[in-house]
Amino acid sequence: MRIPAFIRLTIRNVRVNTDPGTMLFMLGLPALYLVVLGIMFQGIIPSIDIHNSSISYTKFLAPGIVGMQAFTAGNIGGGMLWSDRRWGMFEQLLVGPFRRSEYLLGIMVVSIIFSLGGSAIMIALAISISGSFAFSAVSVGYLILILVAGTIFFSCLFLIISILVRTMQAYNTITIFLFFTLDFASTAFYPLTSETPFALRAVSDINPLSYVANVVRDAMVYGISTQTGYQTLIVLLLMFVFFGISLYLYRNVQTGL
Amino acid sequence: MSSEADPAILVENLIKSYDGRKNAVDGLSFRVDRGEIYGLLGKNGAGKSTTIKVLTTLVPPTSGKVSISGIDVVKRPNLIRKIIGVVQQEEAFDFTTVEQNFRIYGMLWEVPRETVKARTEELIELFNLSEVRRKRVFELSGGQKKRLQVAREFIHDMEVLFLDEPTVGMDPIMRRSVLDFISDKAKQGLTILFTTQILEEADYICRRVGIIDRGKLVAEGSSDELKNRYGSSKKLSVKTSRDLTSNEMDEFRGLMNSIDGIDDFNVGHNEIWAMGKQMNRAMNEIMRKMASLSIDVEQVNMDTPSLDDVFLDVVKR
């Protein structure tokens, strides 16, 4: 039986990225956040009181960490174009039995696999720390939708960076900056309250990871509402816009740097 | 579609311009027969890499006709990529172990798992990679990486292989071994387009070579044909068994001046040397004169031109 080209590329992407370093970045770091940050902060934050309910900090943090998987997986997937261009494999694959579109699809699919797989592991870890979450068929549907849309959006963001940036130093600087800015200036770790400074609130409000984290939190903790639908729509819209931009740039990207 | 009658590679009046003003390849034409190793030589920026990029479907030609096994590279690029193999000049690896590189590459090319396993063992052995088979690529030396890159390409079947400076960084023994392996593959029917800066390699394995300069093919033929046609001056040196007298030296000077095709010469006390393209005739005349003067020959040397000389001669024109 013939395996479609994009699936072969996806298998390759999975194999190439299941090294200890990538796994640590994708699973070790978020797990550390969840366990260490969650348990340590729980000592000084007895409860998070928003949406007319009171939950523990670990219960609040867990969906944020799950949402972060979309960002991390997008970083790994989109960054593959950078490393493949840097190390010659992009050109090598394009003179092989593959189309450019199949290469792109391989990146998107591996990002989604990593995102959903990582999220499942984080949810399991969160349940073991803070007890069960209120899942329903609708909330699981939202959870999967937002993780897929968020992952595609972040993959496209990193694809665009991979296409435009020409040096390793610049690439590393941008990704580290984005990692810290998007992760820590979002609602993944902290709730926005009336006491949140305006500047931080503004950054958090324009941060796509906040929308992903909010939808995941609604799906896992607070329940689906109209607000969840709006936030999902915003992420979907961003996904389509960034997919269009990355596709436009990707069509003409040169094989080397 | 492809047929056995089609040449493996056919390039007709290929023009490629990246900016619409200057042609990186400028009316290039050549053909490579099936099972032939064809060397494409040229200095940096001559158009070799661009030609290979067009042939391997990475960039479209501006004009001209290019086909692989009778398949047009512009009309059927996806089909072309299924029947070619490419070893790039630059490094190209997945940063896994050596063994995993073979396995992943075999999977990408849809080679049956058992075949991948058998070929991996064979290639690891042939390319002397046994000691590093479980090492990650970034732990390998430059030569080991290059060996892996070349070896990995043979994990899948192909009709035409493009080798862009495949032996860079290899030691002389390994280089010879790789060239012999490539040569054997050509004998089994594989067509190979080979570029190198080490012209001895082209001399060693290529049936024909084409020299490309400023995007044009400026010389083509077998190595011997090119040496005869374009070779720089040969140098003839004859050592005498005794010192020549002044009169004898004058006689030899007169003789050398009378022979056409000698560009330079010197008559010393016990050595005569001459440079030019008609050295066989010069040698005969010198021998005849020495015999008539009862002078014995101690040593005769004639330096024949190498492919390096041909290359320098052609690209300097």
Side-chain angles (χ1 to χ4, degrees), chain A residues 47-116:
Chain A
S47 65
I48 303 281
D49 302 323
I50 51 171
H51 297 310
N52 300 320
S53 69
S54 179
I55 57 169
S56 68
Y57 180 67
T58 49
K59 205 134 203 166
F60 175 85
L61 179 63
I65 298 297
V66 171
M68 268 175 61
Q69 288 297 308
F71 172 78
T72 311
N75 185 349
I76 293 168
M80 281 212 74
L81 177 62
W82 163 262
S83 64
D84 280 343
R85 288 180 76 204
R86 173 74 179 78
W87 302 112
M89 279 309 288
F90 186 52
E91 181 164 331
Q92 192 68 46
L93 292 169
L94 291 188
V95 294
F98 308 104
R99 295 179 168 93
R100 271 183 180 242
S101 56
E102 289 164 338
Y103 177 86
L104 187 64
L105 200 55
I107 280 181
M108 292 299 167
V109 175
V110 81
S111 302
I112 292 167
I113 290 171
F114 279 179
S115 174
L116 295 179

Side-chain angles (χ1 to χ4, degrees), chain A residues 132-188:
Chain A
S132 63
F133 292 88
F135 285 117
S136 67
V138 175
S139 69
V140 169
Y142 263 95
L143 184 63
I144 292 171
L145 177 65
I146 197 67
L147 285 172
V148 170
T151 304
I152 293 175
F153 163 74
F154 286 116
S155 293
C156 292
L157 177 66
F158 284 99
L159 271 175
I160 292 167
I161 296 167
S162 297
I163 292 166
L164 297 179
V165 170
R166 300 192 70 83
T167 67
M168 185 175 266
Q169 289 86 343
Y171 182 81
N172 288 342
T173 305
I174 291 169
T175 51
I176 290 167
F177 175 79
L178 283 177
F179 179 80
F180 283 104
T181 311
L182 292 184
D183 276 0
F184 293 109
S186 73
T187 54

